[in-house]
Amino acid sequence: MTTTTYTVQGMTCGHCVSSVKEEVGEVSGVTGVEVDLATGLVTVDSDGPVDGAAIVAAVKDAGYEVVAPS
Ligand SMILES: [Cu+2]
């Protein structure tokens, strides 16, 4: 399993967290998504390497911005 973390800007409540989880969870290969609202840290679990651009696009679809892929 691979774990990747991203810092996302603009999430302010539980609804934002749900939106990000839903969109990112639909990216191919992703098996789990955890979001820490306080820090904006999004942790993505996957079966193998995941296309970072797809994660960024998914976050954007949810209405937020990845500020620091890490
Ligand atoms: Cu919100």
Side-chain angles (χ1 to χ4, degrees), residues 26-52:
E26 284 171 5
V27 174
S28 164
V30 172
T31 54
V33 184
E34 283 306 319
V35 177
D36 186 315
L37 181 58
T39 60
L41 209 62
V42 176
T43 305
V44 178
D45 293 330
S46 54
D47 283 335
V50 158
D51 183 6

Side-chain angles (χ1 to χ4, degrees), residues 11-17 64:
M11 296 185 295
T12 54
C13 69
H15 176 79
C16 302
V17 169
Y64 310 98

Side-chain angles (χ1 to χ4, degrees), residues 45-70:
D45 293 330
S46 54
D47 283 335
V50 158
D51 183 6
I55 302 291
V56 171
V59 168
K60 201 165 200 156
D61 277 351
Y64 310 98
E65 209 74 47
V66 171
V67 289
S70 54

